[in-house]
Amino acid sequence: MRDAKMLKLTFCSMCIVINILGGMIANTVRIPLLFLDTVGTILSAALLGPFYGMATGGLSSILKALVMNPKGMPFALVNIAIGLTVGIMAKKFGFNIKTAIISGILLAIICPLIGTPIAVFLSGGFVGDPLDIVVAWMAKSGESIFVSAFVPRVFANLIDKTMSGILVVALIKYIPSKILKPLKV
Amino acid sequence: MLNKLYSEKESIVHKIDVKTKIIYTFIYILSLGLINNLVTLFISCISLIFILIVSKINLKKISIFIKSILPALISIAIMYKFVLNKDNFEILRTTSVLIFSTVSISCFVMTTKVTEMAKAIETMIPFKTIIPAYEISLMFTISLRFLPIFIKEYQRVKKAKICRGIYIEEMKLKERIKNIMGYFLPVFMLSLERAYNLAIAMETKGYRKKNRKLKWNLKRLDYLTFYMFAGYLILIIGGR
């Protein structure tokens, strides 16, 4: 293959599809606090860098909203931030199990930082899952609604993003060298 | 399959340019933050109802999206009333913002063809010399093309698992975590193969970046709706 750019484009497109399928797989396996809807974003950012990661993340949210459920559209910014963070991490330190866990921890803070103001604006910080009890309990104990909605999200994201990162490290090992080489890992 | 949410109708909202619709939806959602009394709430509600009537979309479809936010609505009502002791207007305001934003995005989705979206994305991306807008639009189109195939493939994988006696719902948490890879890997390998074959096919056919200049090309209708939308914004700011 001469033109690696073409492969990068098609690979990113498949990563967008993997994001949507990840959400469906999470619905099937039903593990608490595991959403798997950013696996494709992490994968493309880890292999191709921040730009492709950001594009994959943003387009996944738009596509998912247009095809499945529109309620996630305002959170496209969160997905873009995931692509940017993992992309920078992978470019500087490479992407292995160690960086996957570190970027998981970083994302656990960055994602709620962007997602919480949107959630507070749209639904007062409540999303209709069991974590709402923690949000209400913290708000009742005198914390601001932003802090109350932020802290439970950090824990939820910590599990999801770290697991997704580890999953991506495992998936990269299965990529054949004819595809991996042009992608220049 | 992909146009499942899109409802084919002959209406003014369907005819409005996609880019204009994206901007209107975004500003409308932001304007919901200006609601601070019953007047502004009423203005937002009436304008949304007006758009729904004009767009001629099936209200049953909208109700599906409202059902998806029902747990959040119940949660807001219970927590605000009994835990945080907020007043009734605050409950009404927060639930209304959630309903209105969901309905407005649904209205946009249901009046916009997914295929039109790719061109709109390409046109709307600024600084095209730095950001490769064409590539981003192409990525969107390719993923749109392959999504139904992969959803079918995933359903096949799920059925194959069941045929082999793997019932993930009945497994313990530890076993379920171990089984994630079993669901991911077949679809992932297939996606890699597709990406590689498609890249080769595109390269063989001499597929190159098109240097096209996309303009906004707004029609009379877009300007007319702009005045109506500006009127709405003046009303909501005045109502505060």
Side-chain angles (χ1 to χ4, degrees):
Chain A
M1 173 164 291
R2 281 183 194 172
D3 195 359
K5 201 172 184 184
M6 218 49 101
L7 183 62
K8 283 179 183 176
L9 281 181
T10 52
F11 181 78
C12 274
S13 311
M14 296 308 157
C15 285
I16 296 170
V17 176
I18 288 170
N19 268 343
I20 294 169
L21 288 177
M24 292 170 84
I25 292 171
N27 272 340
T28 310
V29 294
R30 288 192 183 181
I31 296 167
L33 303 177
L34 194 68
F35 314 111
L36 296 174
D37 54 353
T38 51
V39 173
T41 311
I42 297 173
L43 182 67
S44 68
L47 289 179
L48 308 171
F51 166 71
Y52 286 99
M54 283 161 71
T56 307
L59 290 177
S60 303
S61 296
I62 297 171
L63 187 64
K64 202 176 175 185
L66 285 173
V67 175
M68 289 177 168
N69 198 342
K71 72 175 181 180
M73 206 180 212
F75 296 91
L77 267 180
V78 180
N79 260 341
I80 293 172
I82 293 169
L84 181 70
T85 314
V86 178
I88 293 169
M89 284 285 289
K91 223 172 186 181
K92 282 210 164 182
F93 309 105
F95 201 74
N96 50 34
I97 198 100
K98 205 173 159 186
T99 39
I101 293 169
I102 295 169
S103 39
I105 296 166
L106 262 177
L107 288 175
I109 299 161
I110 294 168
C111 296
L113 268 179
I114 302 165
T116 310
I118 302 171
V120 170
F121 177 77
L122 290 177
S123 60
F126 297 100
V127 284
D129 63 14
L131 282 176
D132 284 355
I133 297 165
V134 184
V135 179
W137 172 69
M138 283 186 72
K140 183 79 180 168
S141 65
E143 294 291 347
S144 68
I145 195 74
F146 179 82
V147 175
S148 312
F150 177 79
V151 176
R153 276 187 174 79
V154 171
F155 287 106
N157 274 287
L158 188 67
I159 295 166
D160 178 46
K161 302 299 180 288
T162 315
M163 282 282 280
S164 300
I166 294 167
L167 194 69
V168 167
V169 174
L171 286 175
I172 288 173
K173 285 178 186 163
Y174 287 96
I175 302 177
S177 59
K178 67 172 181 182
I179 298 173
L180 205 57
K181 267 185 187 171
L183 294 177
K184 284 178 189 170
V185 180
Chain B
M1 184 183 182
L2 286 177
N3 273 330
K4 203 169 66 177
L5 300 186
Y6 175 72
S7 62
E8 184 92 56
K9 293 270 164 63
E10 275 287 315
S11 79
I12 297 168
V13 183
H14 283 76
K15 284 175 190 165
I16 299 173
D17 192 83
V18 182
K19 302 177 284 290
T20 327
K21 269 193 275 187
I22 292 172
I23 294 168
Y24 287 163
T25 313
F26 182 69
I27 298 174
Y28 177 78
I29 292 171
L30 283 183
S31 77
L32 295 175
L34 296 171
I35 295 173
N36 67 344
N37 54 36
L38 280 173
V39 178
T40 45
L41 186 77
F42 183 72
I43 293 167
S44 296
C45 182
I46 289 293
S47 30
L48 192 62
I49 291 170
F50 173 73
I51 291 165
L52 286 177
I53 293 167
V54 170
S55 63
K56 295 179 187 171
I57 51 177
N58 191 351
L59 291 177
K60 266 188 185 174
K61 268 189 174 180
I62 293 272
S63 67
I64 296 169
F65 301 125
I66 293 182
K67 266 182 200 166
S68 75
I69 55 163
L70 207 59
L73 291 173
I74 295 168
S75 183
I76 292 166
I78 293 172
M79 299 300 179
Y80 268 41
K81 184 78 186 168
F82 301 109
V83 183
L84 303 175
N85 299 324
K86 300 250 182 182
D87 58 359
N88 288 342
F89 175 73
E90 195 57 33
I91 300 168
L92 185 68
R93 193 193 72 85
T94 316
T95 47
S96 302
V97 168
L98 184 58
I99 294 170
F100 294 169
S101 57
T102 309
V103 171
S104 61
I105 299 172
S106 310
C107 183
F108 163 71
V109 167
M110 289 165 77
T111 55
T112 310
K113 277 185 183 170
V114 275
T115 42
E116 287 173 358
M117 195 65 190
K119 200 179 170 189
I121 289 171
E122 194 182 340
T123 316
M124 286 186 82
I125 289 174
F127 314 116
K128 289 192 179 61
T129 45
I130 311 164
I131 306 168
Y134 179 72
E135 275 87 345
I136 292 173
S137 154
L138 188 66
M139 272 160 62
F140 184 78
T141 317
I142 295 171
S143 50
L144 205 60
R145 163 73 183 82
F146 283 98
L147 186 62
I149 296 170
F150 282 98
I151 290 175
K152 268 189 185 174
E153 197 57 42
Y154 169 63
Q155 279 160 353
R156 208 172 291 165
V157 170
K158 244 169 90 175
K159 279 176 190 166
K161 292 265 177 198
I162 294 167
C163 287
R164 287 174 189 142
I166 302 168
Y167 294 98
I168 196 113
E169 298 88 3
E170 294 168 10
M171 286 178 180
K172 285 177 183 171
L173 188 68
K174 205 176 170 185
E175 285 173 332
R176 271 187 278 167
I177 293 171
K178 278 181 187 169
N179 264 289
I180 293 176
M181 209 56 175
Y183 283 90
F184 249 108
L185 214 51
V187 192
F188 177 66
M189 295 312 281
L190 189 81
S191 72
L192 286 179
E193 204 182 305
R194 290 266 183 179
Y196 187 71
N197 290 344
L198 186 66
I200 287 180
M202 285 164 84
E203 198 183 322
T204 316
K205 286 178 181 172
Y207 199 87
R208 285 284 169 270
K209 183 189 171 184
K210 287 175 195 167
N211 287 321
R212 53 181 182 179
K213 280 185 181 173
L214 290 170
K215 287 179 182 171
W216 280 65
N217 285 336
L218 297 178
K219 293 171 212 159
R220 210 176 180 182
L221 183 69
D222 297 310
Y223 289 107
L224 188 75
T225 49
F226 169 76
Y227 292 123
M228 286 172 77
F229 197 73
Y232 157 75
L233 284 177
I234 291 166
L235 272 177
I236 204 159
I237 292 167
R240 273 170 69 85

